Amino acid sequence: MNILDENIIGSQRQRLRSWRIQVRQIGVDIARKGLQDDEIVPLLHHQRRATFFTRDRGFYRRELCHQHYGIICLEVLPEEVAVFVRRVLRHPRLNTQAKRLGTVVRAFHRGLVLWQLHAQEEEMIPWQTPGR
């Protein structure tokens, strides 16, 4: 299940759905509006194999790695969110739910930086070039 933070603008949620990417958004489809950051991790624990997408940089923390969910922090403009969600979901390192579980990822224009469960260091991963 792909869950969007409340801070993702509605037009981006609609764009993802128009691309047939299934998403649920906090305050719209799941949980209540105004959910606090410290309430999100417990929510993720109660979901099945969730990937949480947010623009809140505070979620990019190694200690948030957990085997039952993944967190993707998008460091992009509000109007770019849908494109980057799709890029993350298509990236060979993150293109299945199983590959996203246990990761906390920072996605930005130059690539991805991620923590994996039990890893000692962050890993930098470039975006794949077309044709590869």
Side-chain angles (χ1 to χ4, degrees):
M1 173 190 318
N2 297 311
I3 300 174
L4 302 178
D5 198 351
E6 191 173 17
N7 66 12
I8 307 295
I9 58 178
S11 63
Q12 297 302 291
R13 180 185 70 247
Q14 293 167 349
R15 190 171 191 192
L16 288 164
R17 288 180 175 166
S18 75
W19 292 336
R20 295 191 176 109
I21 296 173
Q22 295 183 1
V23 294
R24 298 176 76 190
Q25 187 167 22
I26 292 176
V28 177
D29 309 299
I30 187 171
R32 64 176 165 73
K33 194 171 181 84
L35 199 67
Q36 299 299 307
D37 287 354
D38 62 348
E39 298 173 296
I40 291 175
V41 171
L43 171 72
L44 295 175
H45 282 283
H46 288 93
Q47 304 305 310
R48 183 176 167 92
R49 301 170 58 95
T51 301
F52 176 62
F53 291 90
T54 184
R55 292 187 62 244
D56 185 340
R57 294 178 76 184
F59 282 98
Y60 186 71
R61 298 195 330 255
R62 176 184 180 187
E63 63 269 17
L64 292 179
C65 289
H66 193 278
Q67 64 186 358
H68 291 126
Y69 61 78
I71 297 175
I72 314 294
C73 299
L74 303 164
E75 292 185 13
V76 298
L77 295 173
E79 301 80 19
E80 298 176 310
V81 165
V83 170
F84 277 82
V85 167
R86 185 168 63 174
R87 284 182 85 178
V88 167
L89 293 174
R90 290 181 172 179
H91 194 282
R93 285 289 303 275
L94 299 167
N95 61 1
T96 67
Q97 281 182 332
K99 290 178 182 178
R100 293 188 299 271
L101 297 178
T103 63
V104 176
V105 179
R106 186 167 61 95
F108 56 107
H109 287 273
R110 293 185 310 176
L112 305 164
V113 180
L114 64 86
W115 283 106
Q116 285 191 286
L117 193 61
H118 308 300
Q120 298 301 312
E121 295 182 7
E122 288 180 302
E123 184 177 357
M124 174 64 181
I125 303 168
W127 290 113
Q128 298 297 307
T129 57
R132 283 194 177 176

